[in-house]
Amino acid sequence: MVDTKNPGDKTLSVSPSKTLTLKPRVEQGTVRQSFSHGRTKQVVVEKRGKRRLGGDAPAGEPASVAEPARAPVAKTPPARTAPPAAPRASSGVVLRTLTEDERSARASALAEAKVRAEEERRLAEAEAARRNSKEGIEQAEREAAEARRKAEEERHRQEEEAKRKAELEAKRRFGETETKAAPAKTPATTTRAAPPARPAAVAADGSDEDEAPRMVRRPGGGPARPVVAPKPAAKLGPQKQRGRLTVVTALNADDVRERSIASFRRRTQRLKGHASNEAKEKLVREVIVPEAITIQELANRMAERAVDVIRMLMKQGAMHKITDVIDADTAQLIAEELGHTVKRVAASDVEEGLFDVVDDSTDTEPRSPVVTVMGHVDHGKTSLLDALRHANVVSGEAGGITQHIGAYQVTSPESGKKITFIDTPGHAAFTAMRARGAKVTDIVILVVAADDGVMPQTIEAINHAKAAKVPMIIAINKIDKPDARPERVRTELLQHEVQVESMGGQVVDVEVSAKNRTNLDKLLEMIALQAELLDLKTNASRPAEGTVIEAKLDRGRGPVATVLVQRGTLRVGDIIVAGAEMGRVRALISDQGETVDEAGPSVPVEVLGFNGPPEAGDRLAVVENEARARQVTSYRAHQKRENAAASASGMRGSLEQMMSQLKTAGRKDFPLIIKADVQGSLEAILGSLEKLGTEEVAARILHAGVGGISESDVTLAEGFNAAIIGFSVRANKEAAAAAKRNGIEIRYYNIIYDLVDDVKKAMSGLLAPTLRETMLGNAQILEVFNISKVGKVAGCRVTDGTVERGAHVRLIRDNVVVHEGKLSTLKRFKDEVKEVQSGQECGMAFENYHDMRVGDVIECYRVETIQRSL
């Protein structure tokens, strides 16, 4: 008999013929363990066999009670053997009695098992209650949502029913045929029933069957141990992957995207019908339409789709892309058809408000007069101005003539007031300079030499002054010379409608001598009197306006412009615009070379700070910010490029221009690159070279600019095989070396006369020479001889003039020229001669021609080449 309540560690052998003994079924052995550094240790290892029942025991072994296999344990001393109990009569198995220690250990183990089972049961009940409460809340929410949905459907159904009834009533009221209305279909809604809650099976002890711990009894009669069911997951959906995020996990992750909150909101709005039922309000905009606009920009300004604009254009029969440019009329038509208002603007509107703003009369104050000195070349304009300024500008002029426009300020010794003088060149090429001087001036001083009289540039200066509608003062200079005749000057001026006061007119005249400083004070007095009559006033506190008198590119200071301030005050730091150039004033330099902080009205200054040299004659204005300056300069630069492209493009303009272009299609070009010191000189040079052109040859200006000759100029000249002309400038070291290496000619000039003359001579070399014929004589053919190895030779008699060997001849038959060529042979008897006189006979042979007949006339002439010039 086996005691299943306390299976021991030892096998209780049972045999009817032997004494009961305790025999452990243990196999022992020793194992040597190795450690680091060569250490070893010998340990004892036991292996316990399984207990088997009597029927399962192998042969030769006694039947024993089977015990679950146990892991090898450390060897323990054998337990104290209890005295054997008295054997029972009904069985051959003797059982031992438990000791007190074993009983207490078994009782404590059972108590601990009961406490642990009770705790696990209590936790399972709490988890089941929590899960049941969560399911109840979810069920309540589902029921509430279903109720709301049913209420909404019922409301919609009632509204449809009311609408249908109202329609029927309206039809019945107005006598219409009552039609049987189809019953409003209530949208079938398939209600998805919530899964029924699984009823919890209640155990016998009052707990759920699924949640209650199951008691599993140990084999062999041991105490029962509780088996706790696994807790269900809180979320049934896909769980978020946890752990470290690496490149591998990110690439291998499933592409499962959850719906965003914005997507859920959009779906809700669609279900409610807000987005579809409410019509968008049309926004009417004021669209600003320039002269040309792209379709994309027009659509953006109207807040419309570009596809709609293109569709409207297609309806009008025009196919366009989104980047195409349309004119203002088409853009206005489209915008008005879409319901917008249009405001037409022009690109030139950016210049509005820059100039000619009317000043308040209360803010004006007197200003200095601006006086322009004009006249013919070498009549003493600069010398007179030097005498007034106590300076010596003439000594610095190349060739003793003025080739630049200059502005100076002089203080009158009598009144102490300042007068601004502008000196203009008198050479015929500087017409534009004189025109600019007349435009910016208040008074014109016309200088006429008493010994020379009125000359062509004097007449031109008179015309400029009349065009500008400014008063003139005639200064008759060089009265100190012996052959001076002032009365002759006054008389010649009458021919040009200029009548001086001494001859009953209103024009003031003063006889002066710049060399001896005669009557200079009287001249200044007349200027002050004329300025007082003009009552010159302006507002000095407003933004400055002025005119660019001259501009140049200084290597050390950059672009420099000589500006005459006409209105307002120009200060350092102002943002200025002149032509297509802009900048910020970095420095102001007076005519005396001093740096000043500001320049008021009628004050000439040099302005530093332009991005590039402006053109002479451009108007200067101060703007409020750089954005406005960029708008103005970009518009002007665009206009400049368009004008240049229009002038360069062929076959444009009127019929006369087309015919002139056809005439000049085959003319030769003389390529040139011109660099000058200032804009005014460059302008005069270009004007002079343009006048030199004819239908056969003309100067082609590849590049013209101010500043020194650079290496890029040499590269350009090399590509077009052009010559480089430098006027009062020099080439830098690199450019000179490149020109010498590539064989490019650079010519330097300081006097415009020499420059124009040399270019004229060079252009004359391109002209085709003129061929002139000189008649020598005639001869008549008397007989034609056929000579071997020579060919046909004509025996002739010279009728008039002479015949020369190598001269040009014409063969005339019946008054018709049948051949033109040269004489190859001229013989007198058997000798070759150079010429044959009239009345003598000779033999003639032609080059490459032998069809000669008796009676033909040979006309002999000489061709002379004459070189042409412009």
Side-chain angles (χ1 to χ4, degrees), residues 155-217:
R155 185 176 63 82
H156 281 298
R157 188 186 64 77
Q158 292 176 359
E159 290 178 357
E160 292 290 335
E161 185 68 22
K163 184 176 180 181
R164 186 178 63 81
K165 289 181 180 180
E167 291 177 355
L168 292 176
E169 183 67 24
K171 290 180 179 180
R172 189 181 303 111
R173 181 178 302 174
F174 290 100
E176 296 180 1
T177 304
E178 184 175 344
T179 58
K180 186 176 180 180
K185 294 183 180 181
T186 304
T189 57
T190 58
T191 305
R192 181 179 174 182
R198 186 176 62 176
V202 182
D205 55 354
S207 61
D208 293 345
E209 182 182 0
D210 292 344
E211 301 299 328
R214 294 182 290 110
M215 304 300 292
V216 180
R217 301 188 68 85

Side-chain angles (χ1 to χ4, degrees), residues 80-194:
R80 188 173 52 185
T81 306
R88 298 176 64 177
S90 60
S91 174
V93 179
V94 180
L95 301 177
R96 66 182 181 86
T97 306
L98 295 176
T99 63
E100 293 294 331
D101 294 339
E102 291 175 346
R103 289 194 184 97
S104 62
R106 180 178 295 177
S108 61
L110 290 174
E112 290 177 359
K114 288 182 179 180
V115 172
R116 187 164 57 253
E118 184 67 21
E119 181 67 21
E120 290 177 353
R121 187 183 65 80
R122 186 179 61 79
L123 293 176
E125 290 177 354
E127 179 66 22
R130 185 186 63 79
R131 187 179 62 189
N132 291 336
S133 63
K134 183 176 179 181
E135 291 179 355
I137 293 173
E138 293 177 354
Q139 180 67 19
E141 290 178 353
R142 286 194 295 269
E143 292 176 356
E146 183 67 19
R148 287 195 298 270
R149 186 185 61 77
K150 289 182 177 181
E152 186 71 18
E153 291 178 357
E154 182 65 22
R155 185 176 63 82
H156 281 298
R157 188 186 64 77
Q158 292 176 359
E159 290 178 357
E160 292 290 335
E161 185 68 22
K163 184 176 180 181
R164 186 178 63 81
K165 289 181 180 180
E167 291 177 355
L168 292 176
E169 183 67 24
K171 290 180 179 180
R172 189 181 303 111
R173 181 178 302 174
F174 290 100
E176 296 180 1
T177 304
E178 184 175 344
T179 58
K180 186 176 180 180
K185 294 183 180 181
T186 304
T189 57
T190 58
T191 305
R192 181 179 174 182

Side-chain angles (χ1 to χ4, degrees), residues 372 434-442 464 468 470 566:
T372 301
R434 288 190 289 275
R436 283 196 299 274
K439 287 180 181 178
V440 301
T441 188
D442 300 317
H464 284 315
V470 292
Q566 295 170 300

Side-chain angles (χ1 to χ4, degrees), residues 513-624:
S513 174
K515 183 177 181 179
N516 299 332
R517 305 179 60 84
T518 305
N519 291 335
L520 296 183
D521 53 350
K522 186 178 179 181
L523 179 61
L524 292 176
E525 183 182 352
M526 291 295 107
I527 294 173
L529 180 61
Q530 189 68 49
E532 188 176 350
L533 292 175
L534 293 175
D535 191 19
L536 303 172
K537 291 184 178 181
T538 188
N539 184 6
S541 59
R542 55 162 294 162
E545 292 181 14
T547 302
V548 178
I549 302 297
E550 197 60 271
K552 61 182 178 180
L553 187 63
D554 195 299
R555 187 171 184 178
R557 300 183 296 173
V560 180
T562 302
V563 177
L564 175 65
V565 181
Q566 295 170 300
R567 304 168 68 184
T569 303
L570 183 63
R571 297 178 176 86
V572 175
D574 288 345
I575 300 173
I576 53 178
V577 172
E581 301 295 338
M582 60 169 286
R584 185 184 294 272
V585 179
R586 292 191 290 109
L588 297 174
I589 301 173
S590 66
D591 60 328
Q592 303 294 332
E594 300 175 356
T595 303
V596 295
D597 295 332
E598 60 181 24
S602 303
V603 176
V605 287
E606 284 187 346
V607 179
L608 279 69
F610 278 103
N611 295 340
E615 294 185 1
D618 288 341
R619 297 187 67 183
L620 178 139
V622 175
V623 295
E624 57 273 10

Side-chain angles (χ1 to χ4, degrees), residues 778-780 792-798 803 809 823-827 836 842-846 852 858 860:
N778 294 327
Q780 187 176 8
K792 289 185 178 182
V793 176
C796 307
R797 178 187 292 119
V798 179
V803 177
V809 292
L823 286 178
S824 61
T825 302
L826 180 62
K827 289 189 176 183
V836 177
C842 61
M844 297 183 189
F846 295 165
M852 296 174 287
I858 298 175
C860 185

Side-chain angles (χ1 to χ4, degrees), residues 318-335:
M319 299 294 293
H320 288 282
K321 301 188 297 295
I322 195 173
T323 56
D324 288 349
V325 179
I326 58 178
D327 55 24
D329 295 334
T330 306
Q332 181 178 359
L333 183 64
I334 292 174

